Amino acid sequence: MSKNTTEPLIFEVSRPGRRAANLLPECDVPYQSPSELLGAENLRETLPLPEVSELDVVRHFTHLSQRNYSIDAGFYPLGSCTMKYNPKVNERTAGLPGFASLHPLQPQETVQGALELIYELQNLLTEICGMKATTLQPSAGAHGELLAMMMVQAYHAERGDTHRNTVIIPDSAHGTNPASAARCGFKVKGISSNSKGCTDLVQLAKALESGNVAALMLTNPNTVGLFESDIQQVCEMVHAAGGLVYCDGANMNAMLGLTRPGDMGFDVMHFNLHKTFSTPHGGGGPGCGAVSVQANLEPYLPIPTVEKSGDSFRWNFDNSKSVGKVHSFYGAFLIAVRAYTYIRSLGKEGLRSASENALINANYIRARLAEYYDVAYNAPICMHEAVFSASRQKREGDVRALDISKRLMDYGFHPPTNYFPLIVPEALMIEPTETESKQTIDTFIEAMISIAKEAKETPEIVRTAPHTTLVSRLDETMAVKNLDLRYEPLFR
Ligand SMILES: *Cc1c(COP(=O)(O)O)cnc(C)c1O
């Protein structure tokens, strides 16, 4: 987001009378005027719209797009978010008219290819995670969590276990986990992690004693970047107490082709197709939080499901145990096309090496920066994210994780995630992903080392960063809550 010096600093380009399209021909077919169509009382004589030429419009939007940092513009190590490169071939397939121009109400005989793609992608995801069945309906990971909790509730209800009203969630979890459980009507019981950053089995056993536990929600690898090595025992303990185990699969990019949540003992999980399977995300666009289940939860999957008989595919709405629909029609279909393209273009070997390289890149960063920043947990290796603490910088120069993140912008990088997970003080969570070259990662490491030196020698420059962006520090709460998006004309 470096300052573009040729960009005009005056935002207002409107001038009275300026037009982009003056030359529309007279209409030569019968038509209704706007006042006939809408009623004159609904029309305004004048609207305070910007008056600009075509070139003004093109430059305005081009400049705006350049202010937006993106994975196509540079390194984006935002931990937990898996900001990997989105291959352009995914866009080609998602743009094929046979997919892009479908209408969701078309008769199913005319959308056999789309149904086949959904069916195949579901099977691929089911195999990748080692479970029994998958749905693509949820729009995001958090939406998948909610669907999973609805299915957990339906499962216990059918068994008459309606007293199971509690969901256990470790303190390292993403905030969406407790929100999803609570939204579903469950009580959330937090347990703290042990000194190694993993699930504390003693605390877990205590939390299970009540007999009211419906489920445990666990992220693996967890949000401090570590693999839960006791995971099989954790699942056995929860099952023995009559509960189910949910895997927050946002960190699946660490495990493709290496290990499977289904084999570890999880009953249900979500994938973030927009993270692990490279569909574009950020800024609230459409995603997909596919949910996979073991046989015990399959009856509760949302309707419709896609079924295959012989060579043809059909929607099946006929399932009285289903929790119902969680999305209009069938989810974000073109996201599914992108993820399917990604999985098929990498293949089994490619997926596995994607995860292997994600792990190598994160461990390389962790090893090279360990001298300059405190590593959050002293495990021999991390998974696909390296979590540091800026506690040393805070102590020595009153420089905080936020300051380091802001300063990285001056070096041309998107900041890492900071202040998450909450259990790491001054957390800096770096996820390089597999798609970055060693050159890019080395340049990032050099920037982090420079900033560590600045934090010691000239801390003021870090505390007041960024210095090269169009605007510097915003009131981040007000910037979100009080968006100033309305156009107010300067000239009337
Ligand atoms: C991203 C993320 C989620 C939520 O996923 P969305 O698709 O953003 O709703 C949940 N848990 C973890 C650990 C995540 O990183």
Side-chain angles (χ1 to χ4, degrees):
M1 233 193 280
S2 57
K3 194 175 281 175
N4 179 349
T5 47
T6 61
E7 185 170 348
L9 288 171
I10 298 170
F11 192 75
E12 176 61 76
V13 291
S14 175
R15 290 295 179 276
R18 198 167 286 170
R19 291 282 179 277
N22 300 318
L23 302 174
L24 286 183
E26 283 291 310
C27 186
D28 59 359
V29 291
Y31 82 109
Q32 283 187 305
S33 69
S35 58
E36 282 169 318
L37 268 175
L38 299 172
E41 70 281 10
N42 294 323
L43 294 183
R44 270 175 289 184
E45 275 300 301
T46 56
L47 268 181
L49 294 174
E51 298 179 73
V52 287
S53 70
E54 182 172 326
L55 179 57
D56 291 333
V57 174
V58 168
R59 286 194 180 147
H60 172 75
F61 285 108
T62 303
H63 288 150
L64 277 187
S65 75
Q66 288 166 344
R67 285 188 199 173
N68 199 7
Y69 196 93
S70 67
I71 189 66
D72 286 353
F75 186 43
Y76 207 131
L78 194 66
S80 216
C81 296
T82 313
M83 304 303 287
K84 62 168 76 176
Y85 173 64
N86 317 128
K88 297 302 167 230
V89 64
N90 299 353
E91 301 304 318
R92 287 293 286 272
T93 51
L96 290 173
F99 289 135
S101 307
L102 291 180
H103 192 282
L105 292 175
Q106 263 175 254
Q108 60 187 13
E109 311 82 74
T110 68
V111 293
Q112 286 293 302
L115 293 186
E116 181 169 2
L117 186 141
I118 290 170
Y119 183 86
E120 290 296 330
L121 178 59
Q122 289 179 166
N123 286 349
L124 289 166
L125 294 173
T126 302
E127 186 183 338
I128 287 168
C129 73
M131 295 208 185
K132 176 78 194 307
T134 297
T135 176
L136 303 180
Q137 270 194 35
S139 290
H143 196 189
E145 294 166 21
L146 177 67
L147 167 63
M149 289 301 107
M150 290 162 66
M151 291 193 287
V152 164
Q153 207 162 40
Y155 167 88
H156 289 306
E158 194 187 343
R159 297 156 57 94
D161 269 357
T162 45
H163 64 286
R164 293 189 178 272
N165 63 354
T166 303
V167 171
I168 305 175
I169 302 179
D171 56 3
S172 57
H174 195 262
T176 50
N177 291 188
S180 301
R183 183 68 189 80
C184 216
F186 287 114
K187 280 193 198 138
V188 173
K189 168 118 187 77
I191 56 171
S192 44
S193 307
N194 63 21
S195 60
K196 293 183 193 150
C198 291
T199 305
D200 187 328
L201 298 185
V202 177
Q203 284 226 22
L204 176 63
K206 251 176 90 188
L208 288 168
E209 273 169 13
S210 73
N212 287 343
V213 172
L216 165 73
M217 295 179 92
L218 194 68
T219 311
N220 198 25
N222 64 28
T223 60
V224 299
L226 303 178
F227 190 84
E228 293 272 349
S229 48
D230 292 327
I231 187 60
Q232 281 174 305
Q233 198 182 341
V234 166
C235 292
E236 279 162 22
M237 287 168 70
V238 178
H239 287 150
L244 298 174
V245 197
Y246 177 79
C247 177
D248 177 331
N251 292 342
M252 198 63 208
N253 208 45
M255 303 195 288
L256 299 172
L258 298 170
T259 182
R260 308 193 301 173
D263 300 337
M264 298 171 203
F266 285 103
D267 299 284
V268 47
M269 71 171 283
H270 82 252
F271 288 94
N272 307 64
L273 298 194
H274 43 287
K275 294 180 181 173
T276 312
F277 300 108
S278 85
T279 75
H281 65 299
C288 176
V291 168
S292 298
V293 292
Q294 301 279 23
N296 54 359
L297 289 175
E298 189 180 7
Y300 310 102
L301 282 172
I303 47 169
T305 48
V306 183
E307 261 145 54
K308 182 176 183 182
S309 47
D311 281 339
S312 68
F313 299 86
R314 66 179 189 97
W315 295 120
N316 181 9
F317 285 85
D318 185 21
N319 173 10
S320 60
K321 288 189 184 175
S322 164
V323 295
K325 278 170 87 75
V326 294
H327 198 290
S328 52
F329 304 111
Y330 200 77
F333 172 65
L334 294 178
I335 296 295
V337 176
R338 290 176 172 91
Y340 179 81
T341 307
Y342 179 76
I343 292 174
R344 292 303 301 267
S345 52
L346 264 70
K348 265 187 195 177
E349 295 306 315
L351 288 178
R352 185 187 169 107
S353 65
S355 280
E356 284 170 347
N357 286 318
L359 301 186
I360 290 167
N361 288 351
N363 278 282
Y364 178 61
I365 290 176
R366 189 170 182 258
R368 281 204 58 199
L369 290 182
E371 191 187 322
Y372 304 92
Y373 296 88
D374 294 341
V375 170
Y377 289 95
N378 229 339
I381 59 159
C382 64
M383 298 300 284
H384 67 314
E385 312 180 293
V387 184
F388 295 94
S389 162
S391 292
R392 191 190 313 176
Q393 283 72 24
K394 192 178 171 200
R395 212 168 42 240
E396 290 176 357
D398 195 24
V399 166
R400 305 194 57 205
L402 179 77
D403 303 322
I404 293 166
S405 294
K406 296 287 187 198
R407 184 65 177 143
L408 269 170
M409 294 164 80
D410 289 335
Y411 286 85
F413 295 108
H414 193 284
T417 293
N418 41 215
Y419 303 108
F420 175 78
L422 303 177
I423 57 172
V424 176
E426 299 297 325
L428 285 166
M429 184 193 221
I430 299 167
E431 181 180 4
T433 83
E434 71 282 7
T435 57
E436 298 297 334
S437 67
K438 180 163 181 297
Q439 288 69 36
T440 301
I441 293 176
D442 281 336
T443 318
F444 172 77
I445 289 169
E446 295 307 326
M448 286 294 286
I449 294 174
S450 294
I451 295 171
K453 288 185 183 141
E454 289 171 349
K456 248 191 201 158
E457 293 158 12
T458 51
E460 190 57 21
I461 201 170
V462 187
R463 284 198 296 258
T464 53
H467 305 284
T468 57
T469 51
L470 216 59
V471 290
S472 188
R473 299 224 178 176
L474 303 172
D475 178 332
E476 299 200 1
T477 311
M478 288 298 273
V480 174
K481 302 278 179 207
N482 231 357
L483 284 179
D484 178 11
L485 294 177
R486 201 178 65 177
Y487 173 72
E488 303 255 18
L490 254 184
F491 304 99
R492 294 298 295 271

